Amino acid sequence: MKALKCDLNKSMLNIGYVGAVLLTTLLCFTAKAYTDPNTAKIYTVFECIAKLDNSFLLMIIPSVPI
């Protein structure tokens, strides 16, 4: 079991694995998410997240008392 854990840690910290995860994340967030039918503007996932209204976010994610 220890050998499996060691091999898993080696593969997770490998520069190729980290690079692949970062590239995949970048491609997912720059993918086309929405096209405005009136202006034909294409919005990416990152643009959609960045333009979310704060009141909408507060409605979705209720504040948790500390």
Side-chain angles (χ1 to χ4, degrees), residues 2-59:
K2 187 176 180 180
L4 179 64
K5 183 179 178 183
C6 183
D7 287 344
L8 186 61
N9 284 338
K10 283 182 184 178
S11 64
M12 294 281 250
L13 296 176
N14 186 353
I15 191 70
Y17 177 78
V18 172
V21 168
L22 290 175
L23 180 63
T24 303
T25 304
L26 179 69
L27 289 174
C28 286
F29 278 104
T30 56
K32 181 176 98 168
Y34 172 73
T35 303
D36 188 0
N38 294 329
T39 62
K41 181 172 176 11
I42 299 172
Y43 292 95
T44 63
V45 174
F46 183 72
E47 286 177 316
C48 293
I49 292 171
K51 292 185 180 189
L52 284 176
D53 190 17
N54 287 339
S55 61
F56 178 71
L57 289 175
L58 289 175
M59 183 178 63

